[in-house]
Amino acid sequence: MMKKMTLAACALVVAGSAFALEPDKAIQFRQAGYSFMSWNMNTIKNNVEGTYNQAQVIAAANSIAAIANSGMGALYVPGSEKDVGNVKTTVKPEFFSKPQDAAKVAQAFNREANELAKVAATGNAAAVKAQFGKVGAACKACHDDFRIKRN
């Protein structure tokens, strides 16, 4: 019982901290998540284009799925739709003004990322490559609609 109460208290602290998150921190945290996801995408790309290492692919696919399912949507707090001081964002205002459209691309990405983790577990390199393409397409859909292109 004490363990459950401790976990519940921790969950409330985490949930409460998300609501109090300053816009600059929200931008930094989501950028960190996307950077880690990008690194894992490159790991899979290198494996499907070169020597295939199933363990690396599984770890990378699981990391991508974990990030996709981590609740990063909570990091899109009011005020994080624009640069905050020295913290720059690449999110377009449309992400905030068209939440249904943003939700659709996010759900598509989550679905494809979860499927990638399942496919990676099979060890079938050709199937991983095909599913990896679907994940990339889901990423591109969000980037096309909701990401500012900066040099």
Side-chain angles (χ1 to χ4, degrees), residues 49-78:
E49 291 179 352
T51 303
Y52 191 84
N53 180 313
Q54 184 179 359
Q56 285 181 357
V57 171
I58 289 171
N62 287 338
S63 294
I64 293 165
I67 294 166
N69 293 292
S70 69
M72 281 187 55
L75 297 175
Y76 290 88
V77 299

Side-chain angles (χ1 to χ4, degrees), residues 44-126:
I44 295 173
K45 180 181 179 195
N46 291 336
N47 272 275
V48 297
E49 291 179 352
T51 303
Y52 191 84
N53 180 313
Q54 184 179 359
Q56 285 181 357
V57 171
I58 289 171
N62 287 338
S63 294
I64 293 165
I67 294 166
N69 293 292
S70 69
M72 281 187 55
L75 297 175
Y76 290 88
V77 299
S80 70
E81 72 279 3
K82 60 187 181 294
D83 296 345
V84 181
N86 292 330
V87 179
K88 308 292 183 203
T89 184
T90 57
V91 69
K92 289 181 179 177
E94 291 83 2
F95 186 91
F96 294 88
S97 65
K98 298 180 180 178
Q100 293 87 1
D101 294 345
K104 284 180 189 174
V105 295
Q107 290 165 355
F109 172 73
N110 287 11
R111 186 173 48 254
E112 299 303 345
N114 288 329
E115 187 62 24
L116 179 62
K118 290 178 191 173
V119 172
T122 70
N124 182 330

